Amino acid sequence: MFLPMTKDECDALGWSELDVILLTGDAYVDSSFFGTALIGKYLVYKGFRVGVIAQPDVTSSEDISRLGQPKLFWGVSAGCVDSMVSNYTPLKKRRNEDDLTAGGRNTKRPDRASIVYTNLIRKTFPDGAPVILGGIEASLRRIAHYDYWDDAVRRSILFDAKADAIVYGMGEKTIFELALRIRDGKPWKDLRGICVISDRKFPESIEIPSFEEVSSDKSGYFEMFDLFYQNTDPFTAKALSQKHGDKYLVQNRPQFPLSEQELDDVYNLDFERAAHPLHEKEGHVRALDTIRFSITSHRGCYGECSFCAISAHQGRIVVSRSESSIVKEAETIRDNPGFTGIIHDVGGPTANMYGFECRKKVKSGACRDRRCLFPETCANLKPDHSRQIALLEKIRNIKGVRKVFVASGVRYDLIFADKRNGERYLRELVAHYISGQMKIAPEHTSNHVLMLMGKPGKKDLIRFKEMFDRLNREAGKKQFLTYYFIAAHPGCTEAEMRSCGDFSRQMLKHRPEQVQIFTPTPSTWSTTMYHTGIDPYTGEPLFVEKSPKGKEHQKIMIRGDNRSARPGKKHY
Ligand code: SF4
């Protein structure tokens, strides 16, 4: 069943009014890979009536009024991606294409969509139901944050949007509790996983440097982000308060992750795996090509790459679904009339984190003073790929499934740390779950830049390539590795980019083509380095390439085309 997008569909369901209306900056695709569908379907499963308005016209009140007013609240999300990241390239040029919009043209999502949509609701329904922000844009802009597009520190998005609260992180539990409390007329501002505006600081919270301090002082900004990052674990985090003028942004403690059973319940909801028919005349949603027949096996990531916000959004605790739930989903996919026999991915933020987790972390939270994978894999983690091997085998043996791929990223340090099953896992990938090439993301080869990124060193990369090549020879296959790199990450100089290219050509026998210029997205460590120019390990100044020309130049350097090299440029 699709969530209703029109009054007629509500009538067909016998819903005279809606409890919750969800607004999204993407097309409405009924898939577990789209947060709006996931939250909406979960609330319906729990007994609430939920409708969707996707990509409303913000110049009139027609779209926003289509379903009337919700009884409990509006839920507003910019979509699966921050609207500024969606709408602009790393060099701030407007993107013309959009895989999350029907027809593929980037014309439907306004910049700073969470703010624009909230204004639209307030203008159309003054004094209406509360507006609750959610999704990655609001979640990662929940405290004061550096905004690359303004090149300035912005206030918490809650102040700019003038909404009532933010549900941050993975929202199912929080949004359900919120709906219950609002329905029952109970107070809800103390709920885990939300941010609200208050006249006073929360008594048991940590007060982090104010918006005024962090917008004018980079060391204050660094201190703020460090405190924010240290307080993202549901077991150990404290609430945070941050002064903005004469008010406070209060971030309540994080929500606990779903249990295995709860995760199974969410992913086994009856998703249509298609765009809502209302989008039909607009064209195809390209994102469906990769996600329609893909399966999420787990949530969370303890990789903590500095440029990635998943640890701050999904958390460092990995929760895996049960084998039976995943196999059941694979069988549902098999029975879909459009299925051609290929499951495009079984994975999560990192494919090979499925099926094991540190016992200490699950019981009492992630360590505050060390990381699970960097600089080395923690001895307490005990990686074990056996559950994932068995799971993939079960899926590929389902009658009607011709091929299963693992397209999510693989951490090769985890493969080496699993003495018993690591090599066996890669052997299985080579034999069954890749086709011709395997994509990996070393991101760089300079040990200095890799340390800043929180990624494994180049020795591991060479070791992985050797193992991959050997297993291919043994299997009688000719398959290749494709490498993804980042140019102009904070700390990276032209010289390091050039030597990354040289290393790639000489040691990996590969000419880098997949090179992305670093984008300072909200609330990551790399963005904090970009803005402050501070090395988080030493506290010393850090070189940061900020000019568009210099960034482009780094991209050229790695490819080995240095004809346009700028002579005499100093970096430190
Ligand atoms: S003990 Fe090791 S694996 Fe567990 S949370 Fe701490 S650093 Fe991570």
Side-chain angles (χ1 to χ4, degrees):
M1 159 200 149
F2 283 104
L3 298 168
M5 286 183 81
T6 63
K7 268 274 182 213
D8 286 349
E9 290 171 71
C10 292
D11 292 345
L13 289 164
W15 293 354
S16 56
E17 65 179 337
L18 293 165
D19 297 312
V20 177
I21 299 178
L22 300 177
L23 238 80
T24 171
D26 301 329
Y28 167 32
V29 175
D30 196 57
S31 156
S32 61
F33 287 87
F34 280 65
T36 296
L38 202 69
I39 292 290
K41 281 293 184 61
Y42 188 67
L43 285 174
V44 170
Y45 164 68
K46 294 286 187 183
F48 293 92
R49 297 161 300 176
V50 182
V52 173
I53 297 175
Q55 302 181 313
D57 175 3
V58 297
T59 61
S60 89
S61 55
E62 196 178 320
D63 285 345
I64 196 73
S65 331
R66 196 194 301 140
L67 298 173
Q69 278 215 69
K71 200 171 160 199
L72 303 181
F73 60 86
W74 297 89
V76 170
S77 160
C80 296
V81 182
D82 184 284
S83 58
M84 300 306 282
V85 178
S86 262
N87 289 351
Y88 295 92
T89 68
L91 294 179
K92 302 189 187 179
K93 293 191 178 123
R94 182 91 192 165
R95 290 187 204 271
N96 295 322
E97 307 209 332
D98 183 358
D99 287 357
L100 301 163
T101 292
R105 288 189 53 234
N106 186 24
T107 53
K108 295 258 177 123
R109 185 187 303 99
D111 290 355
R112 310 199 185 282
S114 310
I115 298 174
V116 175
Y117 291 158
T118 307
N119 285 338
L120 180 66
I121 295 169
R122 296 289 197 216
K123 205 170 123 199
T124 314
F125 302 107
D127 307 319
V131 178
I132 310 296
L133 302 180
I136 198 106
E137 177 167 287
S139 182
L140 297 179
R141 293 175 181 269
R142 60 191 187 257
I143 62 166
H145 55 281
Y146 173 72
D147 182 272
Y148 171 57
W149 298 271
D150 281 1
D151 191 21
V153 176
R154 290 183 68 106
R155 303 187 296 178
S156 161
I157 197 168
L158 199 49
F159 285 93
D160 285 343
K162 300 181 181 61
D164 294 278
I166 299 170
V167 169
Y168 70 89
M170 303 307 282
E172 296 94 344
K173 260 188 192 178
T174 307
I175 208 94
F176 170 51
E177 286 175 26
L178 184 69
L180 282 178
R181 294 225 197 152
I182 294 180
R183 183 194 69 188
D184 299 342
K186 292 184 178 161
W188 52 268
K189 293 197 172 174
D190 59 336
L191 274 176
R192 274 182 179 262
I194 68 165
C195 296
V196 290
I197 293 173
S198 165
D199 292 336
R200 289 180 300 278
K201 90 173 200 177
F202 183 64
E204 285 157 33
S205 67
I206 297 174
E207 183 165 354
I208 60 177
S210 69
F211 163 69
E212 286 73 19
E213 274 174 88
V214 302
S215 48
S216 58
D217 172 23
K218 290 186 175 174
S219 56
Y221 186 95
F222 191 93
E223 188 197 336
M224 169 202 74
F225 188 75
D226 195 23
L227 284 167
F228 166 75
Y229 196 81
Q230 282 178 34
N231 287 283
T232 51
D233 185 280
F235 292 92
T236 59
K238 295 258 188 322
L240 301 177
S241 297
Q242 183 175 43
K243 205 161 185 218
H244 285 62
D246 58 356
K247 302 268 182 201
Y248 283 89
L249 182 278
V250 174
Q251 174 182 303
N252 292 346
R253 296 170 71 195
Q255 184 56 271
F256 288 105
L258 299 181
S259 65
E260 178 186 290
Q261 181 60 56
E262 287 168 330
L263 205 57
D264 285 354
D265 291 345
V266 168
Y267 283 94
N268 287 135
L269 295 171
D270 69 329
F271 294 101
E272 296 283 340
R273 298 177 182 274
H276 188 281
L278 211 59
H279 294 301
E280 228 161 60
K281 60 179 187 314
E282 296 155 357
H284 178 58
V285 180
R286 275 201 300 263
L288 269 166
D289 298 342
T290 42
I291 54 133
R292 187 173 179 203
F293 300 130
S294 292
I295 300 177
T296 299
S297 55
H298 57 286
R299 258 190 196 174
C301 183
Y302 41 81
E304 288 190 273
C305 299
S306 311
F307 48 80
C308 175
I310 285 180
S311 327
H313 185 65
Q314 289 199 8
R316 270 173 77 185
I317 300 173
V318 170
V319 181
S320 298
R321 290 170 64 190
S322 70
E323 283 82 348
S324 58
S325 157
I326 296 172
V327 168
K328 187 172 157 205
E329 186 176 347
E331 287 168 349
T332 308
I333 287 178
R334 185 263 323 268
D335 297 337
N336 187 300
F339 184 58
T340 57
I342 299 171
I343 293 181
H344 294 283
D345 189 26
V346 179
T350 298
N352 56 333
M353 287 184 184
Y354 177 78
F356 57 90
E357 194 31 300
C358 161
R359 284 196 189 156
K360 181 245 159 211
K361 200 199 298 181
V362 173
K363 215 167 137 207
S364 52
C367 296
R368 293 174 86 104
D369 55 346
R370 57 181 167 151
R371 293 160 74 165
C372 308
L373 295 183
F374 191 81
E376 281 171 352
T377 307
C378 173
N380 292 335
L381 186 63
K382 302 193 185 359
D384 177 3
H385 292 75
S386 60
R387 254 184 87 184
Q388 198 188 1
I389 295 171
L391 169 72
L392 291 169
E393 191 178 343
K394 269 190 197 158
I395 300 173
R396 82 166 197 267
N397 286 331
I398 293 173
K399 201 166 171 236
V401 172
R402 286 191 292 123
K403 189 84 190 162
V404 181
F405 289 117
V406 174
S408 300
V410 166
R411 284 288 297 220
Y412 32 84
D413 41 0
L414 278 175
I415 290 183
F416 302 138
D418 178 4
K419 301 280 179 264
R420 187 173 294 181
N421 292 304
E423 183 168 328
R424 184 160 80 91
Y425 174 69
L426 187 56
R427 191 185 296 280
E428 289 283 305
L429 290 188
V430 163
H432 302 292
Y433 307 113
I434 57 172
S435 166
Q437 58 172 332
M438 180 175 177
K439 294 174 192 163
I440 57 168
E443 313 295 9
H444 215 286
T445 60
S446 148
N447 282 337
H448 166 238
V449 180
L450 286 169
M451 186 180 78
L452 292 167
M453 290 177 164
K455 297 283 287 182
K458 62 188 173 202
K459 266 194 196 155
D460 276 354
L461 175 59
I462 292 291
R463 200 175 150 201
F464 181 77
K465 177 179 164 37
E466 285 170 358
M467 189 188 274
F468 179 84
D469 288 345
R470 174 171 56 78
L471 294 174
N472 270 285
R473 279 194 304 277
E474 288 170 16
K477 294 200 170 215
K478 275 197 176 161
Q479 303 187 110
F480 307 93
L481 289 171
T482 309
Y483 305 86
Y484 284 67
F485 294 100
I486 294 178
H489 185 274
C492 177
T493 63
E494 274 186 16
E496 281 166 310
M497 216 61 219
R498 189 187 298 114
S499 86
C500 179
D502 292 343
F503 180 91
S504 184
R505 279 180 292 278
Q506 287 158 20
M507 305 301 289
L508 307 176
K509 313 289 178 222
H510 172 85
R511 185 173 188 266
E513 293 293 343
Q514 305 297 337
V515 187
Q516 240 188 57
I517 292 173
F518 168 70
T519 306
T521 55
S523 296
T524 70
W525 265 116
S526 295
T527 299
T528 300
M529 292 179 222
Y530 183 90
H531 171 56
T532 62
I534 298 173
D535 181 330
Y537 293 100
T538 62
E540 297 292 318
L542 182 72
F543 167 74
V544 179
E545 180 58 78
K546 288 200 170 173
S547 78
K549 265 194 177 165
K551 291 178 185 182
E552 250 172 324
H553 201 75
Q554 288 211 5
K555 195 169 167 177
I556 292 168
M557 283 283 111
I558 190 173
R559 290 182 175 157
D561 179 0
N562 62 358
R563 278 169 296 175
S564 55
R566 293 170 300 165
K569 187 171 187 302
K570 286 206 174 93
H571 293 292
Y572 289 99

